[in-house]
Amino acid sequence: MLSSTLQTALVQQTCSTDRTANLNASINGIREAAAQGAQLIMLQELHASLYFCQTEDTRCFHLAETIPGPSSTQLAALAKELSVVIVASLFEKRATGLYHNTAVVFERDGSMAGMYRKMHIPDDPLYFEKFYFTPGDLGFQCFETQHAALGMLICWDQWYPEAARLMALAGADFLLYPTAIGWDPRDSADERNRQRDAWITIQRAHAVANGLPVLVANRVGQEPDPSGSTGGIQFWGESFVAGPQGEIIARSQGESEQIVLATINRKRSEDVRRIWPYLRDRRIDAYSGLTQRYLDAE
Amino acid sequence: MLSSTLQTALVQQTCSTDRTANLNASINGIREAAAQGAQLIMLQELHASLYFCQTEDTRCFHLAETIPGPSSTQLAALAKELSVVIVASLFEKRATGLYHNTAVVFERDGSMAGMYRKMHIPDDPLYFEKFYFTPGDLGFQCFETQHAALGMLICWDQWYPEAARLMALAGADFLLYPTAIGWDPRDSADERNRQRDAWITIQRAHAVANGLPVLVANRVGQEPDPSGSTGGIQFWGESFVAGPQGEIIARSQGESEQIVLATINRKRSEDVRRIWPYLRDRRIDAYSGLTQRYLDAE
């Protein structure tokens, strides 16, 4: 039987060009979180490398790996050793010339509970992901683990209420967002604050709209633009866990490397969905337009 | 040609059993807002009466009126006199035994720009709306006015990202939510704060997800439960206008009657949607589940 609470942890870290050091930092973070009682531990997006999408460079494809592959084998073994659920984010090489931005969930016994290929792919200055990642083709399916059914999503997905809703409809107990987002240092302080606040707000809103907890792990640190044409990205951290009314349960303290620990009370979702029964009243008879690109005037 | 800014106003008021006094207070609020330069003025949900849905009482149907009818005729004339767009919220009698919770937009020339019948109908203790209101059958269509295309929604709709998205896809420049929401005084202070914060958060998130401003007018005041079995509802006000990154442009000061004035910069939506092009990347090939009630495991 499930206990009434679940101990969760987010590993918020910096990355460098040293892949082994990056993965070791993730592993150390997982070990520390497990030592503090965490049962479900999530890493940030593409934790094994710098956020290489600041430029379009074919050499970066050497960072990709198959699944199973070196990183996933190592993290699967760690999940088994520590008897924890681990959420990892990998640059997946599926075939020659076919790559995905992929999240993998490892069960407590080291088996793979599921794999999610990022569905919404951004492409903006400093975030040239459409060059690297083929849009996911596995859809929005949640993964059953011993601790909970996980609604696995990744970064840019976090701006899409459709994705959050589909995961909730598929039975997700929580939504999880490994993330790599930061500021362009050329933006004003006001603009930077609006961006971070918008990012927190919309993810808290997914918790509210769907009556379930949301976990977000974002990287920290300044990463230079390899092209040298911009000031790079200042990743803003702010990893957090929100409860089913969007209330903040835990959040990172400042823009430094850290483990964010959060205790999730499972009963809250049951209680909240009883008083705010949004799923009851959805007008599914009137939602067909959601599968259109735009509802152009006739 | 449209000016680069639009002056908007929200009328946040208390209501009593005196229907004439309620409507006069709305009219005075509209006059005051127009005198201060407002071009688009929105009233709160069901502004002509107490929030009568705290109990199920057939006598309350006498509050309903046809459209056109007394209130709409009076407000249409006011829109023409002041040359402003007015957003009103009426208890509509469509036929004997057929009622809706309906928002009406009056153009600057007094004509009706459009009518929206609330699509999502709540039913919770103190909010027994399913007894009174037939779910809307006009769908999610935005209304062209001389100032902007308005995405008209009402109260409980505000918890549904689907409704906000459909209005954006239909070309809405703004989302508008006349509202009647408050606290059950029996709830703890923590619960009350979570509820109000969730309500602000999810509406700001609609602005973020869709890159457009959101206007919300909520009532204030303590209204007793006619059945006497509860402490009634303490309406929390907090009417606000948010910009296209969810940033608060203006909000009410405390829980008192007031006009909230907000200047909307139209260019911001253009700029924000260029840097955050969410509409570009929607996975419409994978959204068909949104028209399902629940995606039950096979």
Side-chain angles (χ1 to χ4, degrees), chain A residues 173-193:
Chain A
D173 294 316
F174 313 147
L175 300 178
L176 299 95
Y177 294 97
T179 297
I181 192 169
W183 292 299
D184 183 333
R186 297 170 296 186
D187 282 331
S188 69
D190 278 354
E191 173 64 18
R192 282 181 270 167
N193 285 334

PDB file of all heavy atoms in Angstrom, chain A residues 173-193:
ATOM      1  N   ASP A 173      -0.409  11.085 -11.740  1.00  0.00           N
ATOM      2  CA  ASP A 173      -0.526  11.611 -10.377  1.00  0.00           C
ATOM      3  C   ASP A 173       0.244  12.916 -10.227  1.00  0.00           C
ATOM      4  O   ASP A 173      -0.159  13.791  -9.451  1.00  0.00           O
ATOM      5  CB  ASP A 173       0.023  10.598  -9.372  1.00  0.00           C
ATOM      6  CG  ASP A 173      -0.800   9.329  -9.323  1.00  0.00           C
ATOM      7  OD1 ASP A 173      -2.046   9.422  -9.299  1.00  0.00           O
ATOM      8  OD2 ASP A 173      -0.198   8.237  -9.321  1.00  0.00           O
ATOM      9  N   PHE A 174       1.373  13.008 -10.918  1.00  0.00           N
ATOM     10  CA  PHE A 174       2.202  14.228 -10.892  1.00  0.00           C
ATOM     11  C   PHE A 174       2.591  14.587 -12.319  1.00  0.00           C
ATOM     12  O   PHE A 174       2.653  13.716 -13.188  1.00  0.00           O
ATOM     13  CB  PHE A 174       3.529  14.020 -10.135  1.00  0.00           C
ATOM     14  CG  PHE A 174       3.442  13.351  -8.812  1.00  0.00           C
ATOM     15  CD1 PHE A 174       4.489  12.535  -8.381  1.00  0.00           C
ATOM     16  CD2 PHE A 174       2.364  13.547  -7.952  1.00  0.00           C
ATOM     17  CE1 PHE A 174       4.444  11.916  -7.151  1.00  0.00           C
ATOM     18  CE2 PHE A 174       2.311  12.927  -6.717  1.00  0.00           C
ATOM     19  CZ  PHE A 174       3.357  12.101  -6.308  1.00  0.00           C
ATOM     20  N   LEU A 175       2.931  15.862 -12.536  1.00  0.00           N
ATOM     21  CA  LEU A 175       3.580  16.302 -13.767  1.00  0.00           C
ATOM     22  C   LEU A 175       5.041  16.615 -13.448  1.00  0.00           C
ATOM     23  O   LEU A 175       5.333  17.209 -12.408  1.00  0.00           O
ATOM     24  CB  LEU A 175       2.911  17.551 -14.330  1.00  0.00           C
ATOM     25  CG  LEU A 175       1.425  17.427 -14.688  1.00  0.00           C
ATOM     26  CD1 LEU A 175       0.898  18.769 -15.196  1.00  0.00           C
ATOM     27  CD2 LEU A 175       1.197  16.334 -15.718  1.00  0.00           C
ATOM     28  N   LEU A 176       5.944  16.206 -14.352  1.00  0.00           N
ATOM     29  CA  LEU A 176       7.379  16.422 -14.121  1.00  0.00           C
ATOM     30  C   LEU A 176       7.993  17.131 -15.330  1.00  0.00           C
ATOM     31  O   LEU A 176       7.773  16.703 -16.472  1.00  0.00           O
ATOM     32  CB  LEU A 176       8.094  15.091 -13.897  1.00  0.00           C
ATOM     33  CG  LEU A 176       7.605  14.279 -12.694  1.00  0.00           C
ATOM     34  CD1 LEU A 176       6.571  13.264 -13.142  1.00  0.00           C
ATOM     35  CD2 LEU A 176       8.763  13.600 -11.990  1.00  0.00           C
ATOM     36  N   TYR A 177       8.773  18.182 -15.062  1.00  0.00           N
ATOM     37  CA  TYR A 177       9.380  18.974 -16.137  1.00  0.00           C
ATOM     38  C   TYR A 177      10.878  19.175 -15.913  1.00  0.00           C
ATOM     39  O   TYR A 177      11.278  20.160 -15.301  1.00  0.00           O
ATOM     40  CB  TYR A 177       8.727  20.355 -16.202  1.00  0.00           C
ATOM     41  CG  TYR A 177       7.270  20.390 -16.599  1.00  0.00           C
ATOM     42  CD1 TYR A 177       6.261  20.456 -15.642  1.00  0.00           C
ATOM     43  CD2 TYR A 177       6.899  20.395 -17.939  1.00  0.00           C
ATOM     44  CE1 TYR A 177       4.917  20.518 -16.005  1.00  0.00           C
ATOM     45  CE2 TYR A 177       5.554  20.453 -18.311  1.00  0.00           C
ATOM     46  CZ  TYR A 177       4.571  20.510 -17.337  1.00  0.00           C
ATOM     47  OH  TYR A 177       3.246  20.575 -17.703  1.00  0.00           O
ATOM     48  N   PRO A 178      11.731  18.285 -16.437  1.00  0.00           N
ATOM     49  CA  PRO A 178      13.158  18.633 -16.488  1.00  0.00           C
ATOM     50  C   PRO A 178      13.310  19.804 -17.471  1.00  0.00           C
ATOM     51  O   PRO A 178      12.678  19.796 -18.538  1.00  0.00           O
ATOM     52  CB  PRO A 178      13.827  17.372 -17.047  1.00  0.00           C
ATOM     53  CG  PRO A 178      12.778  16.311 -17.038  1.00  0.00           C
ATOM     54  CD  PRO A 178      11.453  16.992 -17.065  1.00  0.00           C
ATOM     55  N   THR A 179      14.122  20.775 -17.113  1.00  0.00           N
ATOM     56  CA  THR A 179      14.124  22.047 -17.833  1.00  0.00           C
ATOM     57  C   THR A 179      15.528  22.627 -17.987  1.00  0.00           C
ATOM     58  O   THR A 179      16.404  22.374 -17.159  1.00  0.00           O
ATOM     59  CB  THR A 179      13.227  23.047 -17.054  1.00  0.00           C
ATOM     60  OG1 THR A 179      11.886  22.548 -17.048  1.00  0.00           O
ATOM     61  CG2 THR A 179      13.250  24.427 -17.665  1.00  0.00           C
ATOM     62  N   ALA A 180      15.710  23.387 -19.074  1.00  0.00           N
ATOM     63  CA  ALA A 180      16.903  24.235 -19.236  1.00  0.00           C
ATOM     64  C   ALA A 180      16.423  25.567 -19.778  1.00  0.00           C
ATOM     65  O   ALA A 180      16.199  25.713 -20.971  1.00  0.00           O
ATOM     66  CB  ALA A 180      17.900  23.583 -20.194  1.00  0.00           C
ATOM     67  N   ILE A 181      16.230  26.515 -18.883  1.00  0.00           N
ATOM     68  CA  ILE A 181      15.757  27.833 -19.312  1.00  0.00           C
ATOM     69  C   ILE A 181      16.506  28.912 -18.549  1.00  0.00           C
ATOM     70  O   ILE A 181      16.796  28.755 -17.360  1.00  0.00           O
ATOM     71  CB  ILE A 181      14.221  27.985 -19.131  1.00  0.00           C
ATOM     72  CG1 ILE A 181      13.720  29.242 -19.858  1.00  0.00           C
ATOM     73  CG2 ILE A 181      13.825  27.982 -17.677  1.00  0.00           C
ATOM     74  CD1 ILE A 181      12.200  29.333 -19.964  1.00  0.00           C
ATOM     75  N   GLY A 182      16.819  29.977 -19.260  1.00  0.00           N
ATOM     76  CA  GLY A 182      17.547  31.062 -18.617  1.00  0.00           C
ATOM     77  C   GLY A 182      17.350  32.360 -19.355  1.00  0.00           C
ATOM     78  O   GLY A 182      16.536  32.453 -20.289  1.00  0.00           O
ATOM     79  N   TRP A 183      18.118  33.346 -18.916  1.00  0.00           N
ATOM     80  CA  TRP A 183      17.983  34.682 -19.469  1.00  0.00           C
ATOM     81  C   TRP A 183      19.031  34.968 -20.529  1.00  0.00           C
ATOM     82  O   TRP A 183      20.165  34.491 -20.453  1.00  0.00           O
ATOM     83  CB  TRP A 183      18.158  35.722 -18.372  1.00  0.00           C
ATOM     84  CG  TRP A 183      17.082  35.743 -17.354  1.00  0.00           C
ATOM     85  CD1 TRP A 183      15.762  35.996 -17.560  1.00  0.00           C
ATOM     86  CD2 TRP A 183      17.240  35.526 -15.943  1.00  0.00           C
ATOM     87  NE1 TRP A 183      15.079  35.954 -16.365  1.00  0.00           N
ATOM     88  CE2 TRP A 183      15.950  35.676 -15.362  1.00  0.00           C
ATOM     89  CE3 TRP A 183      18.309  35.243 -15.108  1.00  0.00           C
ATOM     90  CZ2 TRP A 183      15.732  35.537 -13.992  1.00  0.00           C
ATOM     91  CZ3 TRP A 183      18.090  35.104 -13.753  1.00  0.00           C
ATOM     92  CH2 TRP A 183      16.822  35.252 -13.203  1.00  0.00           C
ATOM     93  N   ASP A 184      18.636  35.785 -21.466  1.00  0.00           N
ATOM     94  CA  ASP A 184      19.585  36.460 -22.337  1.00  0.00           C
ATOM     95  C   ASP A 184      20.053  37.694 -21.565  1.00  0.00           C
ATOM     96  O   ASP A 184      19.241  38.562 -21.247  1.00  0.00           O
ATOM     97  CB  ASP A 184      18.866  36.859 -23.634  1.00  0.00           C
ATOM     98  CG  ASP A 184      19.792  37.511 -24.637  1.00  0.00           C
ATOM     99  OD1 ASP A 184      20.801  38.112 -24.209  1.00  0.00           O
ATOM    100  OD2 ASP A 184      19.494  37.435 -25.846  1.00  0.00           O
ATOM    101  N   PRO A 185      21.332  37.771 -21.245  1.00  0.00           N
ATOM    102  CA  PRO A 185      21.811  38.883 -20.404  1.00  0.00           C
ATOM    103  C   PRO A 185      21.557  40.259 -21.032  1.00  0.00           C
ATOM    104  O   PRO A 185      21.609  41.267 -20.336  1.00  0.00           O
ATOM    105  CB  PRO A 185      23.319  38.628 -20.278  1.00  0.00           C
ATOM    106  CG  PRO A 185      23.512  37.190 -20.612  1.00  0.00           C
ATOM    107  CD  PRO A 185      22.424  36.826 -21.580  1.00  0.00           C
ATOM    108  N   ARG A 186      21.241  40.276 -22.323  1.00  0.00           N
ATOM    109  CA  ARG A 186      20.961  41.567 -22.966  1.00  0.00           C
ATOM    110  C   ARG A 186      19.584  42.096 -22.592  1.00  0.00           C
ATOM    111  O   ARG A 186      19.286  43.272 -22.813  1.00  0.00           O
ATOM    112  CB  ARG A 186      21.070  41.419 -24.486  1.00  0.00           C
ATOM    113  CG  ARG A 186      22.474  41.048 -24.959  1.00  0.00           C
ATOM    114  CD  ARG A 186      22.484  40.667 -26.426  1.00  0.00           C
ATOM    115  NE  ARG A 186      21.689  39.458 -26.676  1.00  0.00           N
ATOM    116  CZ  ARG A 186      21.611  38.837 -27.850  1.00  0.00           C
ATOM    117  NH1 ARG A 186      22.292  39.285 -28.889  1.00  0.00           N
ATOM    118  NH2 ARG A 186      20.875  37.740 -27.980  1.00  0.00           N
ATOM    119  N   ASP A 187      18.718  41.232 -22.065  1.00  0.00           N
ATOM    120  CA  ASP A 187      17.383  41.691 -21.681  1.00  0.00           C
ATOM    121  C   ASP A 187      17.440  42.535 -20.411  1.00  0.00           C
ATOM    122  O   ASP A 187      18.318  42.348 -19.560  1.00  0.00           O
ATOM    123  CB  ASP A 187      16.446  40.500 -21.468  1.00  0.00           C
ATOM    124  CG  ASP A 187      15.930  39.916 -22.787  1.00  0.00           C
ATOM    125  OD1 ASP A 187      15.816  40.674 -23.762  1.00  0.00           O
ATOM    126  OD2 ASP A 187      15.656  38.695 -22.829  1.00  0.00           O
ATOM    127  N   SER A 188      16.464  43.428 -20.283  1.00  0.00           N
ATOM    128  CA  SER A 188      16.394  44.283 -19.093  1.00  0.00           C
ATOM    129  C   SER A 188      16.024  43.459 -17.867  1.00  0.00           C
ATOM    130  O   SER A 188      15.510  42.338 -17.981  1.00  0.00           O
ATOM    131  CB  SER A 188      15.333  45.364 -19.304  1.00  0.00           C
ATOM    132  OG  SER A 188      14.045  44.765 -19.325  1.00  0.00           O
ATOM    133  N   ALA A 189      16.277  44.025 -16.711  1.00  0.00           N
ATOM    134  CA  ALA A 189      15.907  43.336 -15.463  1.00  0.00           C
ATOM    135  C   ALA A 189      14.399  43.111 -15.410  1.00  0.00           C
ATOM    136  O   ALA A 189      13.935  42.050 -14.971  1.00  0.00           O
ATOM    137  CB  ALA A 189      16.371  44.147 -14.256  1.00  0.00           C
ATOM    138  N   ASP A 190      13.612  44.073 -15.881  1.00  0.00           N
ATOM    139  CA  ASP A 190      12.151  43.911 -15.887  1.00  0.00           C
ATOM    140  C   ASP A 190      11.738  42.736 -16.757  1.00  0.00           C
ATOM    141  O   ASP A 190      10.894  41.924 -16.368  1.00  0.00           O
ATOM    142  CB  ASP A 190      11.470  45.182 -16.423  1.00  0.00           C
ATOM    143  CG  ASP A 190      11.340  46.242 -15.350  1.00  0.00           C
ATOM    144  OD1 ASP A 190      11.673  45.952 -14.185  1.00  0.00           O
ATOM    145  OD2 ASP A 190      10.920  47.359 -15.690  1.00  0.00           O
ATOM    146  N   GLU A 191      12.318  42.663 -17.950  1.00  0.00           N
ATOM    147  CA  GLU A 191      11.976  41.575 -18.864  1.00  0.00           C
ATOM    148  C   GLU A 191      12.386  40.228 -18.256  1.00  0.00           C
ATOM    149  O   GLU A 191      11.629  39.242 -18.342  1.00  0.00           O
ATOM    150  CB  GLU A 191      12.661  41.777 -20.221  1.00  0.00           C
ATOM    151  CG  GLU A 191      12.508  40.625 -21.212  1.00  0.00           C
ATOM    152  CD  GLU A 191      11.082  40.354 -21.664  1.00  0.00           C
ATOM    153  OE1 GLU A 191      10.211  41.228 -21.500  1.00  0.00           O
ATOM    154  OE2 GLU A 191      10.833  39.241 -22.171  1.00  0.00           O
ATOM    155  N   ARG A 192      13.545  40.184 -17.657  1.00  0.00           N
ATOM    156  CA  ARG A 192      13.986  38.922 -17.046  1.00  0.00           C
ATOM    157  C   ARG A 192      13.032  38.484 -15.936  1.00  0.00           C
ATOM    158  O   ARG A 192      12.687  37.314 -15.830  1.00  0.00           O
ATOM    159  CB  ARG A 192      15.419  39.076 -16.511  1.00  0.00           C
ATOM    160  CG  ARG A 192      16.453  38.994 -17.625  1.00  0.00           C
ATOM    161  CD  ARG A 192      17.857  39.120 -17.092  1.00  0.00           C
ATOM    162  NE  ARG A 192      18.268  40.522 -17.057  1.00  0.00           N
ATOM    163  CZ  ARG A 192      19.324  40.990 -16.427  1.00  0.00           C
ATOM    164  NH1 ARG A 192      20.092  40.164 -15.731  1.00  0.00           N
ATOM    165  NH2 ARG A 192      19.626  42.263 -16.458  1.00  0.00           N
ATOM    166  N   ASN A 193      12.613  39.443 -15.132  1.00  0.00           N
ATOM    167  CA  ASN A 193      11.673  39.085 -14.057  1.00  0.00           C
ATOM    168  C   ASN A 193      10.339  38.614 -14.616  1.00  0.00           C
ATOM    169  O   ASN A 193       9.750  37.655 -14.100  1.00  0.00           O
ATOM    170  CB  ASN A 193      11.456  40.277 -13.123  1.00  0.00           C
ATOM    171  CG  ASN A 193      12.650  40.493 -12.213  1.00  0.00           C
ATOM    172  OD1 ASN A 193      13.394  39.548 -11.916  1.00  0.00           O
ATOM    173  ND2 ASN A 193      12.856  41.724 -11.776  1.00  0.00           N
TER     174      ASN A 193
END
